[in-house]
Amino acid sequence: MQSEQGVVAHSEPHGNGLAARLNWLRAGVLGANDGIVSVAGIVVGVAAATTSAGVIATAGVAGLAAGAVSMALGEYVSVSTQRDSERAVLAVERRELAEMPEQELAELAAIYEGKGLSPATAWKVAEELTENDAFTAHAEAELGIDPSDLTNPWQAALSSALSFTLGALLPLLAILAPPAVRVPVTVAAVLAALAVTGAVGARLGEAPVWRATIRVLVGGALAMATTYLVGHLVGIAV
């Protein structure tokens, strides 16, 4: 269906309970990964410039707070926009059902016929679904949206902030090791954690595990190396 707002509806619903839970879990893993890398970069960079545990901890906590708030705000805006779009296309679908029910019934039957049902069976399925709950049937079949389960921006924001915070706590705690070993300990802890999050994220996304894990490890190592070098140079200059 091409809506009046130019939104092309999908013939396949793209959300069910399991898929939604996996998407949330994958987002949580990615949020934790961001927290690990972001705060690790900060504390390693500051540790290269000073040995003061207070200064390093302050910078790390500030980075954690700023990152968590930023992640929450970004996710809230993004999901709010998505929910507004979902509501808009649902309003169009509701209006079309009220104004041209016969055409919408034929459209629903055509969707199920395209899935492999015979014309007679597809029509029968469309009729029964329409009699039960026409709006939900069309929303799920044409748009891939469950009208009773729209995305929640507050839930997304809190989840993003929490996952970022949990990830950020690892380098923040590791950097409090004794001065002689705090950077090596932090680097080792961060790389180990990134290996886990990379592997889990790849599994959830059905991507090659080793490739994704190596990519995350290289990115994290480069981030820490860069901030360590910058911190060292700034420490010397100051």
Side-chain angles (χ1 to χ4, degrees), residues 48-69:
T50 179
T51 58
S52 171
V55 172
I56 297 170
T58 299
V61 171
L64 184 156
V69 171

Side-chain angles (χ1 to χ4, degrees), residues 3-230:
S3 77
E4 296 176 9
Q5 296 184 2
V7 178
V8 180
H10 303 288
S11 61
E12 292 284 349
H14 56 262
N16 54 50
L18 178 59
R21 286 193 294 271
L22 288 176
N23 284 335
W24 279 108
L25 183 55
R26 183 160 56 244
V29 170
L30 293 176
N33 188 81
D34 286 342
I36 293 169
V37 174
S38 298
V39 174
I42 292 173
V43 296
V44 167
V46 176
T50 179
T51 58
S52 171
V55 172
I56 297 170
T58 299
V61 171
L64 184 156
V69 171
S70 177
M71 291 284 288
L73 288 175
E75 196 70 11
Y76 179 84
V77 171
S78 174
V79 174
S80 293
T81 301
Q82 178 185 341
R83 187 175 63 172
D84 290 343
S85 298
E86 290 173 343
R87 286 175 170 173
V89 295
L90 287 172
V92 171
E93 187 63 38
R94 191 185 293 276
R95 185 171 66 250
E96 290 178 345
L97 282 168
E99 296 176 352
M100 43 186 182
E102 292 300 324
Q103 293 94 321
E104 287 296 297
L105 177 61
E107 188 173 41
L108 187 60
I111 289 174
Y112 286 103
E113 186 176 346
K115 293 176 180 292
L117 298 181
S118 67
T121 302
W123 189 265
K124 180 65 174 176
V125 169
E127 285 183 325
E128 292 187 2
L129 289 174
T130 298
E131 290 175 3
N132 180 58
D133 187 345
F135 179 61
T136 297
H138 282 264
E140 292 181 344
E142 295 183 39
L143 306 174
I145 298 174
D146 181 353
S148 65
D149 189 28
L150 296 183
T151 50
N152 186 324
W154 286 108
Q155 181 183 16
L158 291 174
S159 175
S160 181
L162 178 60
S163 62
F164 183 95
T165 299
L166 291 176
L169 285 174
L170 176 72
L172 186 57
L173 294 175
I175 203 66
L176 298 180
V181 297
R182 63 175 41 142
V183 171
V185 166
T186 302
V187 170
V190 165
L191 292 181
L194 289 178
V196 173
T197 59
V200 172
R203 287 286 188 185
L204 293 173
E206 299 182 351
V209 173
W210 284 109
R211 184 183 303 171
T213 302
I214 291 173
R215 186 163 53 235
V216 171
L217 287 173
V218 170
L222 284 175
M224 288 186 289
T226 300
T227 56
Y228 183 85
L229 177 61
V230 170

